[in-house]
Amino acid sequence: MSEHIKSKLNITSLSKPYVSIDGSFGGDQSWLEKAEGTRKGNVLKDYGCGLIAASDILMYLMGGMEHVINPSGDKSMNSYKDYILTMERKYFHILPWLGISGILLAWNLNLYFLLHRRDIQNRTGNRFRAHWFVRPKKMLSRIKEMLSDDIPVLIAIGPGFLRKGKVTFYNRSFDGTRTIFKPVTKTKDHYVTVTGIVEASKGDQIDNKNVDEKLVMLEISSWGKKYYVNYDEYVSYIKKYDNWYFSNMLYIKRV
C-alpha cells in the first residue's frame, strides 16, 4: 500500500495479528462439519458462527492457541478443532435451528472469565467482563473503544425474520491512490468478529461508485476470511429488516 493511500485512510485496528489457522483469518464453522458425528457436525457447521467468534476472541485475548490448547503450542487444524469442540461442550453449547443467543454468549464468556481469572490475570494483567447490547447511537464508538483497547468485537447480523434483506460483505483492493470495496456475498442471521475499522474519504470507491462523504467500513472475520461491512448499510439493515436487540454487539471491557 502506498503512503498516499495510507494518508487518506483513518484506520482503527487491533495491535496484534488476528487468529490464523493455516493462513486463515479467524476460524470457520464449516471446518467442524465432520466433527463428533454427522448430525452434530452439521449443527455446528450451520449454527456455529457465534461459537467460532467467541472462542477466537478468547484465544486472541489469551495470547494465542498455545495458551488455550496445550503447552506445546501445536497450532495445527486438528488442535484448533479440538479447542472449538471443548469450548462448545463447556461454554457455548450450540442448539439446532437456534445456535446461541447474544445473552448466552455474554453469560458464558463471563463464566469463562470467572473460572479462569487467575490464568487470565497472569497472562494479560487484567480481568474482563462482557455484556450483550449497547445503545444504537453508541455502537460505533464502543466498537472503536474495544479495538483501541486491543479487544476484538463480536457483532450480530440479526435474522430479519420472514424478510429478504441481507448485509453485503466486501473485499478491499487498491487502484493507484484509491481504495476500492467490491461486493462478494450477502448474509444475515450470522455472527462476525470486527478486527478493524477503515474510514475512507471522498474519492475512494465502493462498488464502482465514488464516495461523496465519509465511508465507514468494518473489517471482519467470517468463515475464516477477511471481509468488510459498510457500517451505514448494516444500520440500514437493522432499521429496515431487523431490530437492535438481535443485531447488536458483545461489549467486553477490562476491569
Side-chain angles (χ1 to χ4, degrees):
M1 189 190 309
S2 73
E3 290 301 317
H4 184 61
I5 291 176
K6 287 182 180 179
S7 68
K8 292 180 64 180
L9 303 176
N10 183 19
I11 298 175
T12 306
S13 62
L14 299 170
S15 65
K16 303 182 295 293
Y18 194 55
V19 173
S20 180
I21 311 300
D22 294 340
S24 73
F25 192 69
D28 180 355
Q29 65 264 32
S30 70
W31 297 341
L32 306 174
E33 182 174 6
K34 297 181 180 179
E36 297 195 332
T38 301
R39 183 176 180 183
K40 181 68 171 181
N42 284 337
V43 170
L44 297 180
K45 174 179 71 74
D46 293 338
Y47 304 101
C49 52
L51 163 67
I52 293 290
S55 300
D56 282 358
I57 288 171
L58 286 175
M59 183 183 295
Y60 182 88
L61 293 177
M62 294 292 283
M65 193 186 298
E66 61 268 29
H67 299 311
V68 293
I69 294 181
N70 56 58
S72 70
D74 183 0
K75 296 184 180 182
S76 70
M77 178 66 74
N78 287 336
S79 290
Y80 178 78
K81 290 178 183 179
D82 289 343
Y83 163 66
I84 295 297
L85 292 172
T86 298
M87 297 304 291
E88 197 272 340
R89 285 192 298 268
K90 291 185 175 181
Y91 301 102
F92 308 118
H93 186 57
I94 304 302
L95 298 175
W97 307 108
L98 297 175
I100 186 169
S101 70
I103 290 286
L104 285 176
L105 282 171
W107 195 92
N108 285 287
L109 269 173
N110 286 327
L111 178 62
Y112 182 95
F113 293 148
L114 176 65
L115 295 178
H116 297 270
R117 58 190 180 278
R118 287 188 178 179
D119 192 31
I120 293 171
Q121 182 77 40
N122 289 338
R123 294 190 184 280
T124 70
N126 298 109
R127 292 178 296 165
F128 296 90
R129 183 174 300 154
H131 73 257
W132 179 255
F133 191 84
V134 300
R135 288 187 292 171
K137 290 184 178 180
K138 289 192 172 184
M139 193 165 174
L140 184 58
S141 65
R142 293 301 191 201
I143 292 173
K144 290 182 178 180
E145 173 191 323
M146 284 180 59
L147 293 174
S148 297
D149 203 20
D150 202 29
I151 302 174
V153 186
L154 183 153
I155 66 169
I157 301 168
F161 295 112
L162 304 178
R163 299 181 179 182
K164 295 183 179 180
K166 294 183 178 181
V167 172
T168 301
F169 287 5
Y170 295 86
N171 280 338
R172 177 185 174 195
S173 61
F174 305 97
D175 179 14
T177 61
R178 295 179 302 173
T179 305
I180 299 174
F181 295 96
K182 292 289 294 183
V184 290
T185 189
K186 294 183 178 183
T187 193
K188 66 175 182 177
D189 200 11
H190 188 48
Y191 291 107
V192 303
T193 307
V194 180
T195 57
I197 298 175
V198 177
E199 296 178 79
S201 305
K202 185 175 181 179
D204 293 321
Q205 285 191 353
I206 182 167
D207 195 14
N208 292 323
K209 298 177 183 177
N210 287 331
V211 175
D212 293 325
E213 301 294 339
K214 190 174 182 180
L215 175 69
V216 178
M217 303 293 288
L218 306 179
E219 178 190 273
I220 65 165
S221 165
S222 178
W223 306 309
K225 297 179 180 179
K226 181 188 293 185
Y227 295 107
Y228 293 84
V229 168
N230 183 322
Y231 185 74
D232 287 339
E233 291 179 356
Y234 174 60
V235 171
S236 295
Y237 168 82
I238 298 170
K239 291 179 177 178
K240 187 173 181 180
Y241 299 109
D242 203 59
N243 63 72
W244 287 101
Y245 176 77
F246 290 115
S247 293
N248 211 280
M249 64 177 282
L250 191 65
Y251 183 45
I252 302 174
K253 289 187 65 175
R254 299 178 192 269
V255 294

